[in-house]
Amino acid sequence: MPAKASDAAVLMRSVSKWYGQFQVLKDIDFDVAKGERVVICGPSGSGKSTLIRCLNRLEQYQSGQVVVDGIALTDDARSVDEVRREVGMVFQHFNLFPHLTILENCTLAPMSVRGFSRKAANETAMRYLSRVRISDHAHKYPSQISGGQQQRAAIARSLCMNPKVMLFDEPTSALDPEMVTEVLDTMVGLAEEGMTMICVTHEMGFARRVADRVIFMDRGQIVESAEPSVFFDAPKHARTRLFLSQIL
Ligand code: ADP
Ligand code: MG
C-alpha cells in the first residue's frame, strides 16, 4: 500500500547504507501513512535501529531519499532540525538527562527549541506526565524512579514536543519483566489516539493488538510486510517463519 506523498508521514526510497565494506541497509523502500502503526521486528544486527535512526538523521546514509512529514532530509542542517522537531524518539535506554528532574527533562526542548515560556512548558509537561501516570514523580530525578517509570517519562518528554511521528527502538527490552506492561499500555494508548508510530519491538502481543502492519527485516532488507493476522498466521517467507518460531 504505497502512501501518496500527501498522506505519507514517512517515505524512504532506495536507501542504502554501508559501514565500511558492510552494507547495513540494502535499497530500502518504506512508506508509513499518517496515523499508521508499524512494528518492525527481525534478528539482532538486521538493521532495524539503523533504519529508524535514518528517519531523524541520527544516521547518515550513502544513497536514497528520506521524506518525513513532507520535509526532504538533506545534508542541509535546517532540514535535519525541521525533521527532528516533528519526530519523537524513545530508545531502549531511556536517555533521560540524569542531572535534571523529570519535569525539567520534559520542559528543556519545548523551551529551547519551540520557544515555549516556562509556564507553558510546565503545563504541557504536567499534562503528559499525568497521561503516562507519573505526575507524582515530576520533581524526582531519573535515578529515583523505576525503569518503567523512566521509560514512561521518556515517552512523555517526546510528546511534549507535539511530534507528528513517534519512533520507538526496543523501548521495553531493557526493562524488568514486571515493568514491560505499563510501558506497552502507554504505547497502546498513544496508538489508540491516532499517533503515527514506528516501533522496533519483539513484543508480538503488542504488534497483534495495535499494528496496522508488521515488517520483518533480515540482513539489511525488508523481507516481509503484512498486516498482523497475515504476518503471524500465514507468513510468506521461510526466514520470517523461522524467526517467528524462535521468538513465539
Ligand atoms: P538491529 O537494530 O537490527 O540489531 P543495527 O541497525 O543496530 O541492527 O545494526 C546492524 C548492523 O550494523 C550490525 O551488524 C551492527 O554490528 C552494524 N553496526 C551498527 N552500528 C555500527 C557502527 N557504528 N559501525 C559499524 N557497524 C555498525
Ligand atoms: Mg537495534
Side-chain angles (χ1 to χ4, degrees), residues 4-226:
K4 291 199 302 283
S6 56
D7 62 16
V10 167
L11 285 175
M12 266 188 151
R13 285 289 172 273
S14 307
V15 169
S16 290
K17 175 177 175 65
W18 288 260
Y19 289 116
Q21 297 291 313
F22 174 69
Q23 188 171 3
V24 56
L25 295 179
K26 297 176 183 162
D27 205 21
I28 299 275
D29 286 318
F30 177 54
D31 294 350
V32 179
K34 285 181 184 155
E36 199 181 10
R37 283 73 50 107
V38 178
V39 162
I40 303 177
C41 61
S44 179
S46 57
K48 306 178 298 295
S49 295
T50 306
L51 186 154
I52 66 165
R53 290 165 65 87
C54 285
L55 297 177
N56 61 359
R57 209 52 154 201
L58 288 174
E59 299 283 354
Q60 306 267 1
Y61 40 90
Q62 284 88 352
S63 68
Q65 199 197 5
V66 175
V67 181
V68 177
D69 194 44
I71 306 162
L73 262 178
T74 62
D75 290 329
D76 173 6
R78 220 182 49 204
S79 80
V80 175
D81 285 348
E82 260 178 82
V83 163
R84 285 194 187 151
R85 226 173 287 163
E86 307 305 336
V87 178
M89 179 141 182
V90 174
F91 303 87
Q92 181 175 5
H93 299 284
F94 333 118
N95 300 31
L96 294 167
F97 297 111
H99 61 290
L100 298 179
T101 66
I102 298 305
L103 181 62
E104 288 164 347
N105 264 279
C106 291
T107 56
L108 183 66
M111 286 166 58
S112 62
V113 179
R114 288 250 194 242
F116 278 35
S117 68
R118 178 173 300 279
K119 182 165 176 289
N122 279 345
E123 281 169 12
T124 302
M126 289 309 294
R127 197 167 69 236
Y128 284 115
L129 289 171
S130 302
R131 202 159 104 188
V132 302
R133 293 177 294 107
I134 51 166
S135 48
D136 292 352
H137 303 295
H139 298 288
K140 293 185 179 168
Y141 289 88
S143 61
Q144 296 174 308
I145 60 177
S146 73
Q149 290 167 335
Q150 288 183 57
Q151 192 59 302
R152 285 186 281 139
I155 294 170
R157 179 177 62 174
S158 285
L159 294 175
C160 286
M161 288 292 281
N162 196 18
K164 303 257 176 56
V165 180
M166 284 286 289
L167 309 176
F168 293 87
D169 193 357
E170 304 207 34
T172 59
S173 58
L175 295 175
D176 292 333
E178 71 273 19
M179 293 171 188
V180 169
T181 308
E182 65 191 67
V183 171
L184 290 177
D185 284 348
T186 302
M187 293 168 63
V188 170
L190 258 186
E192 286 170 349
E193 286 162 26
M195 177 63 79
T196 306
M197 295 167 68
I198 303 173
C199 311
V200 176
T201 181
H202 291 155
E203 293 290 341
M204 293 297 138
F206 171 80
R208 269 190 194 269
R209 194 161 156 206
V210 310
D212 298 302
R213 207 149 39 104
V214 187
I215 280 176
F216 173 67
M217 278 189 81
D218 194 21
R219 292 176 236 165
Q221 291 176 304
I222 293 176
V223 172
E224 185 131 6
S225 168

